[in-house]
Amino acid sequence: MISDGVEDEEKWLAAGIAGLQQNAFYMHRSLDSNNLKDALKYSAQMLSELRTSKLSPHKYYDLYMRAFDELRKLEIFFMEETKRGCSIIDLYELVQHAGNILPRLYLLCTVGSVYIKSKEAPAKDILKDLVEMCRGIQHPLRGLFLRSYLSQVSRDKLPDIGSEYEGDADTVNDAVEFVLQNFTEMNKLWVRMQHQGPARDKEKREKERSELRDLVGKNLHILSQVEGVDLDMYKDIVLPRVLEQVVNCKDEIAQFYLMECIIQVFPDEYHLQTLDVLLGACPQLQPSVDIKTVLSQLMERLSNYAASSAEVLPEFLQVEAFSKLSKAIGKVIEAQVDMPTVGVVTLYSALLTFTLHVHPDRLDYADLVLGACVKKLSGKGKIEDNKATKQIVALLSAPLEKYNDIVTTLKLSNYSHVMEYLDGETIKVMAMVIVQSITKNKTQISTADNVEALFELIRGLIKDLDGSLTDEVDEDDFKEEQSSVARLIQMLYNDDPDEMFKIICTVKKHILTGGIKRLPFTVPALVFSSLKLVRQLQGQEENPFGDETATTPKKIFQLLTQTIEILSSVPAPELAFRLYLQCAEAANDCDLEPVAYELFTQAYILYEEEISDSKAQVTALHLIIGTLQKMHVFGVENRDTLTHKATGYSAKLLKKPDQCRAVYACSHLFWLDDHDNMKDGERVMLCLKRALRIANAAQQMSNATRGSTGPVSLFIEILNKYLYFFEKGNPQITVATIQGLIELITTEMQSDTTTPDSSADAFFASTLRYIEFQKQKGGAVGEKYEPIKV
Amino acid sequence: MPSRRRTLLKVIILGDSGVGKTSLMNQYVNKKFSNQYKATIGADFLTKEVQFEDRLFTLQIWDTAGQERFQSLGVAFYRGADCCVLVYDVNSMKSFDSLNNWREEFLIQASPSDPENFPFVVLGNKVDVDGGNSRVVSEKKARAWCASKGNIPYFETSAKEGINVEEAFQCIAKNALKSGEEEEIYLPDTIDVAGNNQPRSSGCDC
């Protein structure tokens, strides 16, 4: 009959609680009436509920805790009894009359606690007696709880150093001996559980054992809290005895758990000083024990300890912790041939973190760890296990986090070798980690060699990797990635132009492999980074020593042209166009006329051949005009060619208003304020007249179509240009020309065919106000404006 | 009811791993402190006699494992608690953020009769560390949280230097005593006149 369902268990627990409460009730009554005999009787009956075999550890614990609370009251009663003159020795005898052994032993432990407190006998003797008597319970679950009770009630009565129970006869050795003995017995009970009952219940049994483990482990916690357990005692007695039990029990669950406990409950200093012993026990454990987790936890703990204060580092050196751990790991990996990759990497990752914290100055150690890891990974191909790749990312991130400096990490020759075992996706993840580390820490990467190594590491972001079919990359993620790369490119810097040039060449080499999706992000970054170098060199004499290899603006421009040209493969004509103009401006500042001319030509070619959208054309043309206006490097001939073309383009724009605006903008190409030899009033006037003609034509067209507004404001815009050049002293612009245009506009605005346009009205009004204002200014300006009638 | 019941006050200390629960208890009960970190396994209590308004009480202080993996048997020992002490490390935001979870978990598991008014006390420990320079949780922030949870008394402590530990436990004892948590009053279904009560367990005879 198998009916161990959860419901049944609830029922049994409820019945147990009811029985317990009923007897507790009578026990209370007996306590209140100071009836010792009844108190013992009911408490024994109450404790009989703990004799059940039907409850799981969790439920049993519930029942146990209730009994435990009741026993505290009984304990207080015993204490009061002894104060009333009852002999504690008699009490100790008396409770042993209880009929059943389990209640008897609970009562004995309770009285024992009072007995020790009374100090009528040495604590050592009582403890020894109790721990021996508990052998009477061999049922694992009941025995474990009974002994746990013993350890709890004796917890504050151990003859520890400085304790009131310490005496000539009672020493800390007795305290430790007592706890160790209880621990050993408990562990035996716990291990024995594994071998009881039918094999098919193995899973359930292991679950129950796992629930009970803390009862056993708590003894180790108590040992760690014993004041008298100093390093010597730990080294000579505690650790060897505990490990002896751990090794000899030959039980996988117990060994793993107890190793974990040892590592967690005893202090770091103790572990460091007993590393040999602790690590020596590892190979003696059952082969199925998860030693890698045990060792990782040990290393993690020690790493945190090392990180906590520089003062403790000498302790690590003194015991040669690194080499001991390193050897132990090697042995474990060698012994466990079937250890999965994730296990191997976890171990090396923990060791790496350890050495980074303990020996931050020993890069060779870190490299050694990475090298050992590579050796283990080799021959296994790309790692596909998700957990393992996560561990590798952790492994590779550790040096970055420690040094906050990729340059230091680049010195680890095995670093890139480890990356070779990653799949494409993870290489990308790792590359992002690296780039983010650089951006966050503003790391200066200032040599071409480092840049080369770095780009090799982050190649997952730089190009499509073989095999990683870019399936469904999220657009936004991709943009963010490539923007990070762009930022990174801008951060690479060296004061020395030659080295900087080398860096630029290196970057160029790598980004060229990026493919058409990446180029629009990376090329501009490289162009601007190169222009920074141009600006730095600008003003210096071009190649003063005739050194062929020297970095000169000319050389950089060559490279720039090549770089921008690459964009044609994308194609990204508008971007390339803008970059050409940017470069042209820089060439102008360097007084490199042929270079600037060539760049402009390239921009013009793109304009003519590639930019076909009318809106894009308008924008591009204004960029041309704006840039060209600033150029002073061109001789008459070149300049004429370029301006001629620009005005030509203007007249060819699709829409009349666009044509008009572009043409009047061109007027500025013939009038440069700071250059007296570039003030051609006649051609300015030609442009403006042409603009007027176009505006007229536009007006006629719009009259034909009715309703469309705009042309009037074109006239006003041209009027403003007139005023500008009038003020600048262009002799072609006379009072009469201005007066004529004002009249034209006034008539236009009053004409019936024109649709009212408030913004044009306002624009015109404020233009007239301006004229009025200039008049009132007086002086030369006022005189100039005076004749204009508004 | 006789007074025996109320002489024992049960206090549970909760908080993340490494915030100093064991150290606070050791400092209060034994006046000792160790800088070394030692994990606690399971639950473990120490007792201390306290005098309050001319009466002697036994404070039963339960120290608990902050690491979940060392709490394999569950939390049946929460039952019957008279006060719950929530500890965090003022140098760790995470430990402060966890207070809410610890509080809620306690209320669920211990299910006190009046959860709204169950006495908690919050301790911000390790105020001594680095002369207070590494502190990340301000007193203001902590007090605001305590206020929002029904004016929980708050103390800033250092188990290492013994700062405020005595005061905090005084307050803890006072609140435990005031706690409305009466023990569930049990009355047997049938009054057994003969006083002959057979144990009903069915375990083996050991």
Side-chain angles (χ1 to χ4, degrees), chain A residues 28 45 51 101 142 155 211 213-214 224 260 264 297 301, chain B residues 5 37-39 43-44 69-73 197 204-206:
Chain A
H28 294 159
Q45 283 177 10
R51 293 167 64 213
I101 184 168
R142 293 197 284 274
R155 164 84 162 89
E211 287 174 6
R213 64 186 181 191
D214 285 349
S224 79
E260 204 181 358
Q264 294 299 325
Q297 279 167 355
R301 218 197 133 156
Chain B
R5 306 252 168 107
Y37 171 70
K38 303 168 187 169
D44 178 29
R69 59 175 153 174
F70 293 135
Q71 200 69 270
S72 69
L73 263 176
N197 211 23
C204 73
D205 241 5
C206 71

PDB file of all heavy atoms in Angstrom, chain A residues 28 45 51 101 142 155 211 213-214 224 260 264 297 301, chain B residues 5 37-39 43-44 69-73 197 204-206:
ATOM      1  N   HIS A  28       1.484  22.086  30.305  1.00  0.00           N
ATOM      2  CA  HIS A  28       1.411  23.450  30.854  1.00  0.00           C
ATOM      3  C   HIS A  28       0.697  23.452  32.192  1.00  0.00           C
ATOM      4  O   HIS A  28       1.118  24.102  33.139  1.00  0.00           O
ATOM      5  CB  HIS A  28       0.643  24.380  29.896  1.00  0.00           C
ATOM      6  CG  HIS A  28       1.361  24.592  28.596  1.00  0.00           C
ATOM      7  ND1 HIS A  28       0.725  25.017  27.462  1.00  0.00           N
ATOM      8  CD2 HIS A  28       2.657  24.412  28.252  1.00  0.00           C
ATOM      9  CE1 HIS A  28       1.597  25.093  26.473  1.00  0.00           C
ATOM     10  NE2 HIS A  28       2.771  24.721  26.935  1.00  0.00           N
ATOM     11  N   GLN A  45       4.818  12.194  26.473  1.00  0.00           N
ATOM     12  CA  GLN A  45       3.757  11.845  25.514  1.00  0.00           C
ATOM     13  C   GLN A  45       3.768  12.814  24.330  1.00  0.00           C
ATOM     14  O   GLN A  45       3.581  12.432  23.178  1.00  0.00           O
ATOM     15  CB  GLN A  45       2.399  11.878  26.199  1.00  0.00           C
ATOM     16  CG  GLN A  45       2.184  10.639  27.046  1.00  0.00           C
ATOM     17  CD  GLN A  45       0.866  10.685  27.811  1.00  0.00           C
ATOM     18  OE1 GLN A  45       0.026  11.539  27.582  1.00  0.00           O
ATOM     19  NE2 GLN A  45       0.697   9.759  28.718  1.00  0.00           N
ATOM     20  N   ARG A  51       8.013  10.452  17.052  1.00  0.00           N
ATOM     21  CA  ARG A  51       8.440   9.100  16.682  1.00  0.00           C
ATOM     22  C   ARG A  51       7.883   8.695  15.319  1.00  0.00           C
ATOM     23  O   ARG A  51       8.177   7.612  14.825  1.00  0.00           O
ATOM     24  CB  ARG A  51       7.986   8.110  17.748  1.00  0.00           C
ATOM     25  CG  ARG A  51       8.704   8.308  19.077  1.00  0.00           C
ATOM     26  CD  ARG A  51       8.024   7.550  20.199  1.00  0.00           C
ATOM     27  NE  ARG A  51       8.075   6.107  19.956  1.00  0.00           N
ATOM     28  CZ  ARG A  51       7.123   5.263  20.325  1.00  0.00           C
ATOM     29  NH1 ARG A  51       6.043   5.723  20.935  1.00  0.00           N
ATOM     30  NH2 ARG A  51       7.232   3.973  20.076  1.00  0.00           N
ATOM     31  N   ILE A 101      12.385   5.589  24.017  1.00  0.00           N
ATOM     32  CA  ILE A 101      13.737   6.134  24.017  1.00  0.00           C
ATOM     33  C   ILE A 101      13.805   7.530  23.417  1.00  0.00           C
ATOM     34  O   ILE A 101      14.529   8.403  23.913  1.00  0.00           O
ATOM     35  CB  ILE A 101      14.734   5.173  23.319  1.00  0.00           C
ATOM     36  CG1 ILE A 101      16.147   5.723  23.434  1.00  0.00           C
ATOM     37  CG2 ILE A 101      14.324   4.897  21.886  1.00  0.00           C
ATOM     38  CD1 ILE A 101      17.214   4.738  23.045  1.00  0.00           C
ATOM     39  N   ARG A 142      14.929  10.688  12.544  1.00  0.00           N
ATOM     40  CA  ARG A 142      14.742  11.001  13.959  1.00  0.00           C
ATOM     41  C   ARG A 142      16.065  11.276  14.643  1.00  0.00           C
ATOM     42  O   ARG A 142      16.192  12.178  15.462  1.00  0.00           O
ATOM     43  CB  ARG A 142      14.005   9.852  14.642  1.00  0.00           C
ATOM     44  CG  ARG A 142      12.570   9.709  14.162  1.00  0.00           C
ATOM     45  CD  ARG A 142      11.745   8.872  15.110  1.00  0.00           C
ATOM     46  NE  ARG A 142      12.010   7.445  15.010  1.00  0.00           N
ATOM     47  CZ  ARG A 142      11.422   6.628  14.141  1.00  0.00           C
ATOM     48  NH1 ARG A 142      10.531   7.101  13.287  1.00  0.00           N
ATOM     49  NH2 ARG A 142      11.698   5.341  14.119  1.00  0.00           N
ATOM     50  N   ARG A 155      24.732  24.570  22.387  1.00  0.00           N
ATOM     51  CA  ARG A 155      25.441  25.579  21.599  1.00  0.00           C
ATOM     52  C   ARG A 155      26.127  26.648  22.449  1.00  0.00           C
ATOM     53  O   ARG A 155      27.273  27.002  22.239  1.00  0.00           O
ATOM     54  CB  ARG A 155      24.399  26.213  20.670  1.00  0.00           C
ATOM     55  CG  ARG A 155      24.744  27.493  20.025  1.00  0.00           C
ATOM     56  CD  ARG A 155      25.544  27.246  18.781  1.00  0.00           C
ATOM     57  NE  ARG A 155      25.524  28.420  17.934  1.00  0.00           N
ATOM     58  CZ  ARG A 155      26.412  29.409  18.027  1.00  0.00           C
ATOM     59  NH1 ARG A 155      27.360  29.337  18.920  1.00  0.00           N
ATOM     60  NH2 ARG A 155      26.342  30.444  17.229  1.00  0.00           N
ATOM     61  N   GLU A 211      17.149  17.956   1.748  1.00  0.00           N
ATOM     62  CA  GLU A 211      16.469  18.830   2.709  1.00  0.00           C
ATOM     63  C   GLU A 211      17.112  18.766   4.094  1.00  0.00           C
ATOM     64  O   GLU A 211      17.089  19.728   4.843  1.00  0.00           O
ATOM     65  CB  GLU A 211      14.988  18.438   2.806  1.00  0.00           C
ATOM     66  CG  GLU A 211      14.180  18.838   1.575  1.00  0.00           C
ATOM     67  CD  GLU A 211      12.752  18.312   1.608  1.00  0.00           C
ATOM     68  OE1 GLU A 211      12.334  17.734   2.633  1.00  0.00           O
ATOM     69  OE2 GLU A 211      12.066  18.478   0.603  1.00  0.00           O
ATOM     70  N   ARG A 213      20.266  18.259   4.753  1.00  0.00           N
ATOM     71  CA  ARG A 213      21.721  18.484   4.785  1.00  0.00           C
ATOM     72  C   ARG A 213      22.161  19.562   5.780  1.00  0.00           C
ATOM     73  O   ARG A 213      23.200  19.448   6.418  1.00  0.00           O
ATOM     74  CB  ARG A 213      22.222  18.833   3.386  1.00  0.00           C
ATOM     75  CG  ARG A 213      21.643  20.126   2.888  1.00  0.00           C
ATOM     76  CD  ARG A 213      21.994  20.412   1.471  1.00  0.00           C
ATOM     77  NE  ARG A 213      21.380  21.693   1.144  1.00  0.00           N
ATOM     78  CZ  ARG A 213      21.285  22.200  -0.048  1.00  0.00           C
ATOM     79  NH1 ARG A 213      21.780  21.542  -1.069  1.00  0.00           N
ATOM     80  NH2 ARG A 213      20.719  23.362  -0.244  1.00  0.00           N
ATOM     81  N   ASP A 214      21.336  20.608   5.941  1.00  0.00           N
ATOM     82  CA  ASP A 214      21.783  21.695   6.816  1.00  0.00           C
ATOM     83  C   ASP A 214      21.901  21.272   8.273  1.00  0.00           C
ATOM     84  O   ASP A 214      22.624  21.897   9.048  1.00  0.00           O
ATOM     85  CB  ASP A 214      20.843  22.901   6.699  1.00  0.00           C
ATOM     86  CG  ASP A 214      21.075  23.656   5.405  1.00  0.00           C
ATOM     87  OD1 ASP A 214      22.090  23.364   4.744  1.00  0.00           O
ATOM     88  OD2 ASP A 214      20.251  24.516   5.066  1.00  0.00           O
ATOM     89  N   SER A 224      32.929  26.689  13.487  1.00  0.00           N
ATOM     90  CA  SER A 224      33.544  27.939  13.033  1.00  0.00           C
ATOM     91  C   SER A 224      33.279  29.069  14.020  1.00  0.00           C
ATOM     92  O   SER A 224      33.994  30.058  14.048  1.00  0.00           O
ATOM     93  CB  SER A 224      33.021  28.320  11.652  1.00  0.00           C
ATOM     94  OG  SER A 224      31.744  28.921  11.763  1.00  0.00           O
ATOM     95  N   GLU A 260      31.470  22.217   0.220  1.00  0.00           N
ATOM     96  CA  GLU A 260      30.884  23.546   0.067  1.00  0.00           C
ATOM     97  C   GLU A 260      30.792  24.250   1.429  1.00  0.00           C
ATOM     98  O   GLU A 260      31.139  25.429   1.567  1.00  0.00           O
ATOM     99  CB  GLU A 260      29.489  23.362  -0.530  1.00  0.00           C
ATOM    100  CG  GLU A 260      28.961  24.552  -1.274  1.00  0.00           C
ATOM    101  CD  GLU A 260      27.554  24.290  -1.820  1.00  0.00           C
ATOM    102  OE1 GLU A 260      27.004  23.183  -1.650  1.00  0.00           O
ATOM    103  OE2 GLU A 260      27.007  25.224  -2.418  1.00  0.00           O
ATOM    104  N   GLN A 264      32.594  27.661   2.890  1.00  0.00           N
ATOM    105  CA  GLN A 264      31.807  28.837   3.251  1.00  0.00           C
ATOM    106  C   GLN A 264      31.863  29.211   4.734  1.00  0.00           C
ATOM    107  O   GLN A 264      31.769  30.385   5.060  1.00  0.00           O
ATOM    108  CB  GLN A 264      30.340  28.640   2.837  1.00  0.00           C
ATOM    109  CG  GLN A 264      30.122  28.564   1.336  1.00  0.00           C
ATOM    110  CD  GLN A 264      30.549  29.825   0.601  1.00  0.00           C
ATOM    111  OE1 GLN A 264      30.422  30.931   1.109  1.00  0.00           O
ATOM    112  NE2 GLN A 264      31.101  29.651  -0.597  1.00  0.00           N
ATOM    113  N   GLN A 297      34.105  27.743  -6.223  1.00  0.00           N
ATOM    114  CA  GLN A 297      33.627  28.491  -5.057  1.00  0.00           C
ATOM    115  C   GLN A 297      34.787  28.888  -4.150  1.00  0.00           C
ATOM    116  O   GLN A 297      34.811  29.990  -3.604  1.00  0.00           O
ATOM    117  CB  GLN A 297      32.620  27.655  -4.274  1.00  0.00           C
ATOM    118  CG  GLN A 297      31.244  27.710  -4.909  1.00  0.00           C
ATOM    119  CD  GLN A 297      30.299  26.671  -4.355  1.00  0.00           C
ATOM    120  OE1 GLN A 297      30.701  25.829  -3.551  1.00  0.00           O
ATOM    121  NE2 GLN A 297      29.066  26.718  -4.781  1.00  0.00           N
ATOM    122  N   ARG A 301      35.766  32.724  -3.454  1.00  0.00           N
ATOM    123  CA  ARG A 301      35.868  33.255  -2.098  1.00  0.00           C
ATOM    124  C   ARG A 301      37.205  33.931  -1.873  1.00  0.00           C
ATOM    125  O   ARG A 301      37.297  35.039  -1.350  1.00  0.00           O
ATOM    126  CB  ARG A 301      35.694  32.103  -1.100  1.00  0.00           C
ATOM    127  CG  ARG A 301      34.900  32.558   0.097  1.00  0.00           C
ATOM    128  CD  ARG A 301      34.957  31.734   1.284  1.00  0.00           C
ATOM    129  NE  ARG A 301      35.190  32.709   2.356  1.00  0.00           N
ATOM    130  CZ  ARG A 301      34.867  32.508   3.599  1.00  0.00           C
ATOM    131  NH1 ARG A 301      34.338  31.390   3.981  1.00  0.00           N
ATOM    132  NH2 ARG A 301      35.097  33.438   4.499  1.00  0.00           N
TER     133      ARG A 301
ATOM    134  N   ARG B   5       4.610  32.071  30.177  1.00  0.00           N
ATOM    135  CA  ARG B   5       4.628  32.122  28.711  1.00  0.00           C
ATOM    136  C   ARG B   5       5.363  33.340  28.180  1.00  0.00           C
ATOM    137  O   ARG B   5       6.043  33.289  27.197  1.00  0.00           O
ATOM    138  CB  ARG B   5       3.195  32.180  28.182  1.00  0.00           C
ATOM    139  CG  ARG B   5       2.329  31.076  28.692  1.00  0.00           C
ATOM    140  CD  ARG B   5       2.039  30.094  27.605  1.00  0.00           C
ATOM    141  NE  ARG B   5       1.443  28.899  28.181  1.00  0.00           N
ATOM    142  CZ  ARG B   5       0.161  28.594  28.054  1.00  0.00           C
ATOM    143  NH1 ARG B   5      -0.623  29.402  27.381  1.00  0.00           N
ATOM    144  NH2 ARG B   5      -0.299  27.502  28.572  1.00  0.00           N
ATOM    145  N   TYR B  37      34.648  36.586   7.563  1.00  0.00           N
ATOM    146  CA  TYR B  37      33.328  36.178   7.099  1.00  0.00           C
ATOM    147  C   TYR B  37      33.175  34.669   7.249  1.00  0.00           C
ATOM    148  O   TYR B  37      33.998  33.900   6.781  1.00  0.00           O
ATOM    149  CB  TYR B  37      33.114  36.571   5.635  1.00  0.00           C
ATOM    150  CG  TYR B  37      31.836  35.970   5.086  1.00  0.00           C
ATOM    151  CD1 TYR B  37      30.601  36.425   5.515  1.00  0.00           C
ATOM    152  CD2 TYR B  37      31.878  34.907   4.193  1.00  0.00           C
ATOM    153  CE1 TYR B  37      29.426  35.859   5.046  1.00  0.00           C
ATOM    154  CE2 TYR B  37      30.704  34.330   3.719  1.00  0.00           C
ATOM    155  CZ  TYR B  37      29.493  34.807   4.150  1.00  0.00           C
ATOM    156  OH  TYR B  37      28.334  34.231   3.693  1.00  0.00           O
ATOM    157  N   LYS B  38      32.129  34.275   7.958  1.00  0.00           N
ATOM    158  CA  LYS B  38      31.814  32.855   8.102  1.00  0.00           C
ATOM    159  C   LYS B  38      30.331  32.705   7.796  1.00  0.00           C
ATOM    160  O   LYS B  38      29.495  33.293   8.480  1.00  0.00           O
ATOM    161  CB  LYS B  38      32.082  32.386   9.530  1.00  0.00           C
ATOM    162  CG  LYS B  38      33.496  32.616  10.018  1.00  0.00           C
ATOM    163  CD  LYS B  38      33.543  32.386  11.531  1.00  0.00           C
ATOM    164  CE  LYS B  38      34.891  32.756  12.116  1.00  0.00           C
ATOM    165  NZ  LYS B  38      34.842  32.778  13.593  1.00  0.00           N
ATOM    166  N   ALA B  39      30.026  31.900   6.801  1.00  0.00           N
ATOM    167  CA  ALA B  39      28.622  31.717   6.450  1.00  0.00           C
ATOM    168  C   ALA B  39      27.893  31.011   7.583  1.00  0.00           C
ATOM    169  O   ALA B  39      28.476  30.228   8.320  1.00  0.00           O
ATOM    170  CB  ALA B  39      28.512  30.907   5.173  1.00  0.00           C
ATOM    171  N   ALA B  43      19.472  27.598  10.812  1.00  0.00           N
ATOM    172  CA  ALA B  43      19.108  28.628  11.774  1.00  0.00           C
ATOM    173  C   ALA B  43      19.677  28.243  13.129  1.00  0.00           C
ATOM    174  O   ALA B  43      19.816  27.072  13.440  1.00  0.00           O
ATOM    175  CB  ALA B  43      17.597  28.747  11.868  1.00  0.00           C
ATOM    176  N   ASP B  44      19.974  29.237  13.911  1.00  0.00           N
ATOM    177  CA  ASP B  44      20.761  29.002  15.099  1.00  0.00           C
ATOM    178  C   ASP B  44      20.408  30.122  16.075  1.00  0.00           C
ATOM    179  O   ASP B  44      20.289  31.261  15.661  1.00  0.00           O
ATOM    180  CB  ASP B  44      22.227  29.120  14.658  1.00  0.00           C
ATOM    181  CG  ASP B  44      23.191  28.939  15.790  1.00  0.00           C
ATOM    182  OD1 ASP B  44      22.839  28.222  16.734  1.00  0.00           O
ATOM    183  OD2 ASP B  44      24.286  29.499  15.710  1.00  0.00           O
ATOM    184  N   ARG B  69      21.148  28.695  -0.176  1.00  0.00           N
ATOM    185  CA  ARG B  69      21.529  27.284  -0.260  1.00  0.00           C
ATOM    186  C   ARG B  69      21.747  26.656   1.117  1.00  0.00           C
ATOM    187  O   ARG B  69      21.823  25.452   1.247  1.00  0.00           O
ATOM    188  CB  ARG B  69      22.780  27.136  -1.108  1.00  0.00           C
ATOM    189  CG  ARG B  69      23.963  27.925  -0.570  1.00  0.00           C
ATOM    190  CD  ARG B  69      25.191  27.632  -1.396  1.00  0.00           C
ATOM    191  NE  ARG B  69      26.102  28.770  -1.350  1.00  0.00           N
ATOM    192  CZ  ARG B  69      27.292  28.765  -1.883  1.00  0.00           C
ATOM    193  NH1 ARG B  69      27.711  27.702  -2.501  1.00  0.00           N
ATOM    194  NH2 ARG B  69      28.072  29.819  -1.806  1.00  0.00           N
ATOM    195  N   PHE B  70      21.897  27.488   2.138  1.00  0.00           N
ATOM    196  CA  PHE B  70      22.048  26.935   3.486  1.00  0.00           C
ATOM    197  C   PHE B  70      20.766  27.068   4.302  1.00  0.00           C
ATOM    198  O   PHE B  70      20.793  27.302   5.510  1.00  0.00           O
ATOM    199  CB  PHE B  70      23.227  27.598   4.207  1.00  0.00           C
ATOM    200  CG  PHE B  70      24.553  27.259   3.588  1.00  0.00           C
ATOM    201  CD1 PHE B  70      25.510  28.232   3.355  1.00  0.00           C
ATOM    202  CD2 PHE B  70      24.858  25.946   3.236  1.00  0.00           C
ATOM    203  CE1 PHE B  70      26.733  27.908   2.779  1.00  0.00           C
ATOM    204  CE2 PHE B  70      26.077  25.612   2.664  1.00  0.00           C
ATOM    205  CZ  PHE B  70      27.012  26.598   2.428  1.00  0.00           C
ATOM    206  N   GLN B  71      19.647  26.962   3.614  1.00  0.00           N
ATOM    207  CA  GLN B  71      18.363  27.052   4.300  1.00  0.00           C
ATOM    208  C   GLN B  71      17.495  25.901   3.786  1.00  0.00           C
ATOM    209  O   GLN B  71      16.354  26.078   3.414  1.00  0.00           O
ATOM    210  CB  GLN B  71      17.732  28.411   3.949  1.00  0.00           C
ATOM    211  CG  GLN B  71      16.661  28.880   4.892  1.00  0.00           C
ATOM    212  CD  GLN B  71      17.187  29.261   6.246  1.00  0.00           C
ATOM    213  OE1 GLN B  71      17.266  28.418   7.131  1.00  0.00           O
ATOM    214  NE2 GLN B  71      17.557  30.514   6.426  1.00  0.00           N
ATOM    215  N   SER B  72      18.094  24.694   3.772  1.00  0.00           N
ATOM    216  CA  SER B  72      17.463  23.579   3.067  1.00  0.00           C
ATOM    217  C   SER B  72      16.181  23.091   3.734  1.00  0.00           C
ATOM    218  O   SER B  72      15.323  22.521   3.082  1.00  0.00           O
ATOM    219  CB  SER B  72      18.443  22.412   2.939  1.00  0.00           C
ATOM    220  OG  SER B  72      18.685  21.853   4.218  1.00  0.00           O
ATOM    221  N   LEU B  73      16.021  23.325   5.017  1.00  0.00           N
ATOM    222  CA  LEU B  73      14.850  22.780   5.717  1.00  0.00           C
ATOM    223  C   LEU B  73      13.676  23.742   5.773  1.00  0.00           C
ATOM    224  O   LEU B  73      12.631  23.423   6.299  1.00  0.00           O
ATOM    225  CB  LEU B  73      15.230  22.390   7.140  1.00  0.00           C
ATOM    226  CG  LEU B  73      15.552  20.908   7.318  1.00  0.00           C
ATOM    227  CD1 LEU B  73      15.995  20.654   8.735  1.00  0.00           C
ATOM    228  CD2 LEU B  73      14.382  20.018   6.957  1.00  0.00           C
ATOM    229  N   ASN B 197      -3.827   9.738  28.631  1.00  0.00           N
ATOM    230  CA  ASN B 197      -3.756  10.176  27.248  1.00  0.00           C
ATOM    231  C   ASN B 197      -2.800   9.298  26.459  1.00  0.00           C
ATOM    232  O   ASN B 197      -1.599   9.365  26.624  1.00  0.00           O
ATOM    233  CB  ASN B 197      -3.267  11.633  27.244  1.00  0.00           C
ATOM    234  CG  ASN B 197      -3.849  12.379  26.072  1.00  0.00           C
ATOM    235  OD1 ASN B 197      -4.885  11.978  25.550  1.00  0.00           O
ATOM    236  ND2 ASN B 197      -3.199  13.440  25.688  1.00  0.00           N
ATOM    237  N   CYS B 204       7.994   3.437  15.039  1.00  0.00           N
ATOM    238  CA  CYS B 204       8.492   2.202  15.617  1.00  0.00           C
ATOM    239  C   CYS B 204       8.768   2.417  17.096  1.00  0.00           C
ATOM    240  O   CYS B 204       8.599   3.517  17.605  1.00  0.00           O
ATOM    241  CB  CYS B 204       9.744   1.733  14.895  1.00  0.00           C
ATOM    242  SG  CYS B 204      11.161   2.753  15.288  1.00  0.00           S
ATOM    243  N   ASP B 205       9.205   1.447  17.745  1.00  0.00           N
ATOM    244  CA  ASP B 205       9.305   1.538  19.190  1.00  0.00           C
ATOM    245  C   ASP B 205      10.643   2.112  19.675  1.00  0.00           C
ATOM    246  O   ASP B 205      10.967   1.990  20.841  1.00  0.00           O
ATOM    247  CB  ASP B 205       9.070   0.149  19.808  1.00  0.00           C
ATOM    248  CG  ASP B 205       7.841   0.197  20.716  1.00  0.00           C
ATOM    249  OD1 ASP B 205       7.188   1.264  20.738  1.00  0.00           O
ATOM    250  OD2 ASP B 205       7.572  -0.819  21.385  1.00  0.00           O
ATOM    251  N   CYS B 206      11.373   2.688  18.802  1.00  0.00           N
ATOM    252  CA  CYS B 206      12.692   3.142  19.264  1.00  0.00           C
ATOM    253  C   CYS B 206      12.594   4.418  20.070  1.00  0.00           C
ATOM    254  O   CYS B 206      11.623   5.116  20.003  1.00  0.00           O
ATOM    255  CB  CYS B 206      13.630   3.338  18.076  1.00  0.00           C
ATOM    256  SG  CYS B 206      13.219   4.756  17.053  1.00  0.00           S
TER     257      CYS B 206
END
